[in-house]
Amino acid sequence: QVQLVESGGGLVQPGGSLRLSCAASGSIFSMDVVRWYRQAPGKQRELVAAMIRAGTTNYGASVKGRFTISRDDTQNRVYLQMSSLKPEDTAVYYCNAARGVSNYWGQGTQVTVSS
């Protein structure tokens, strides 16, 4: 089974930037879609960003213009570049990848935005 490991989370001031990384045990370019989700305590999991093999991207309304999803196939990594961070961005962020009917998840990384 494919394994995904997130890193790069931490504490950042409002207005700051942070880059999350997702390392895959297998080839990331073989996946049909890669995604970032997030979940705050007491709230539903929400889609943050997605990228399909053709390169098309989708973003949640609350992060459009601030977050960018990208992938590096030679490094088998998916990135989420976050800028202009707000306190409401505080959540556990999860990396997700799908190929055919298979779905893979990472353990998550905590992002806290606070003054």
Side-chain angles (χ1 to χ4, degrees):
Q1 190 175 73
V2 173
Q3 291 186 340
L4 304 174
V5 180
E6 303 95 335
S7 63
L11 176 64
V12 63
Q13 300 252 344
S17 298
L18 205 62
R19 188 181 72 168
L20 305 184
S21 178
C22 174
S25 63
S27 178
I28 201 69
F29 69 81
S30 69
M31 298 294 176
D32 296 324
V33 60
V34 292
R35 308 181 185 96
W36 285 96
Y37 288 88
R38 69 184 183 188
Q39 187 168 27
K43 297 184 178 180
Q44 292 185 354
R45 183 187 64 186
E46 66 172 333
L47 177 65
V48 176
M51 175 181 283
I52 62 174
R53 287 189 297 174
T56 302
T57 58
N58 291 313
Y59 296 93
S62 63
V63 307
K64 285 182 179 178
R66 300 188 297 119
F67 290 11
T68 302
I69 185 172
S70 62
R71 56 193 284 175
D72 185 340
D73 294 333
T74 63
Q75 297 290 325
N76 289 324
R77 288 182 178 270
V78 181
Y79 300 98
L80 183 68
Q81 179 66 50
M82 305 181 292
S83 62
S84 301
L85 284 163
K86 306 173 181 179
E88 50 263 44
D89 294 319
T90 297
V92 177
Y93 285 71
Y94 297 92
C95 181
N96 167 258
R99 180 174 56 200
V101 298
S102 299
N103 218 325
Y104 307 97
W105 292 90
Q107 296 284 359
T109 185
Q110 176 72 49
V111 173
T112 303
V113 184
S114 179
S115 300

